[in-house]
């Protein structure tokens, strides 16, 4: 049986939501997140700041890609995101558990090399040797792509496991 803890709800209602503890998100959800990220990549999704269009519309920014992939992956699972829209910096500070050992479906937080500011997020897909592979959406690379950075890149600011809550179905 999973153990849960209560945290104040950010969206109104009863004042408390059941947040899933770190490490207790079912692996099938993370696998589905990666599956949907690949679907966005294969659909030649364009980048548009602030967008989180559904599949085949399709324009998303980095956080919109993460949100949409998680929303698709969480359908009919009994879980949902803490909020329906979040920036990459909010995901880093308030909506994820930090980890040094990301798994496929976890988050890769990034920023400029000479800054500690989080301004970009991607979906971790794999680690091979020193390379961190992820799917993200950027204007610079023309939309949703899978790419990699060295694990020691100063652009990588950290990794996180998305916080989820039990849905109120």
């Amino acid at each position: 049986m999973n153990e849960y803890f209560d945290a104040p709800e950010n969206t109104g209602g009863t004042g408390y939501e059941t947040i899933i503890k770190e490490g207790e998100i079912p692996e099938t959800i993370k696998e589905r997140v990666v599956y949907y990220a690949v679907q966005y990549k294969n659909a030649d999704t364009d980048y548009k700041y602030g967008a989180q269009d559904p599949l085949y519309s399709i324009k998303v920014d980095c956080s919109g890609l993460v949100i949409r992939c998680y929303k698709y992956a969480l359908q009919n699972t009994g879980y949902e995101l803490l909020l329906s829209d979040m920036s990459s910096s909010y995901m880093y500070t308030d909506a994820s558990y930090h980890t040094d050992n990301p798994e496929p479906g976890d988050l890769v937080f990034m920023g400029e090399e000479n800054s500690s500011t989080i301004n970009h997020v991607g979906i971790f897909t794999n680690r091979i040797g020193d390379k961190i592979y992820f799917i993200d959406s950027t204007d610079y690379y023309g939309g949703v792509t899978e790419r990699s950075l060295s694990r020691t890149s100063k652009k990588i600011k950290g990794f996180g496991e998305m916080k989820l809550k039990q849905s109120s179905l």
Side-chain angles (χ1 to χ4, degrees), residues 23-110:
E24 292 186 357
I25 296 172
E27 291 305 311
T28 55
I29 289 175
K30 291 181 182 183
E31 291 167 4
R32 291 176 69 181
V33 168
V34 172
Y35 169 81
Y36 285 110
V38 170
Q39 298 307 304
Y40 271 96
K41 178 183 72 106
N42 291 343
D44 293 325
T45 305
D46 291 328
Y47 174 87
K48 182 178 179 186
Y49 179 77
Q52 56 171 282
D53 290 348
L55 264 172
Y56 307 112
S57 278
I58 9 183
K59 292 181 180 173
V60 295
D61 68 3
C62 64
S63 60
L65 174 68
V66 170
I67 296 292
R68 293 307 303 189
C69 290
Y70 266 90
K71 282 183 177 182
Y72 285 129
L74 293 170
Q75 289 177 345
N76 303 314
T77 64
Y79 300 102
E80 60 187 72
L81 293 170
L82 299 182
L83 298 171
S84 61
D85 191 16
M86 299 176 254
S87 67
S88 55
S89 61
Y90 182 86
M91 286 181 202
Y92 180 77
T93 58
D94 296 302
S96 67
Y97 298 107
H98 299 278
T99 181
D100 291 327
N101 298 304
E103 300 174 350
D106 283 340
L107 307 175
V108 181
F109 295 103
M110 294 166 267

Side-chain angles (χ1 to χ4, degrees), residues 4-15:
Y4 305 103
F5 67 93
D6 289 332
E9 179 184 351
N10 293 323
T11 57
T14 63

Side-chain angles (χ1 to χ4, degrees), residues 47-50 60-64 66 86-93 108-122 134 136-140 147 149 154-158:
Y47 174 87
K48 182 178 179 186
Y49 179 77
V60 295
D61 68 3
C62 64
S63 60
V66 170
M86 299 176 254
S87 67
S88 55
S89 61
Y90 182 86
M91 286 181 202
Y92 180 77
T93 58
V108 181
F109 295 103
M110 294 166 267
E112 300 301 320
E113 288 185 3
N114 58 353
S115 172
S116 62
T117 301
I118 305 297
N119 62 13
H120 190 65
V121 63
F134 55 92
D136 66 341
S137 183
T138 66
D139 192 30
Y140 184 81
R147 56 195 185 102
L149 289 171
K154 293 184 182 200
K155 290 183 178 185
I156 296 177
K157 306 303 180 187

Side-chain angles (χ1 to χ4, degrees), residues 139-157:
D139 192 30
Y140 184 81
Y141 290 103
V144 177
T145 59
E146 183 168 19
R147 56 195 185 102
S148 67
L149 289 171
S150 167
R151 175 63 182 101
T152 58
S153 171
K154 293 184 182 200
K155 290 183 178 185
I156 296 177
K157 306 303 180 187

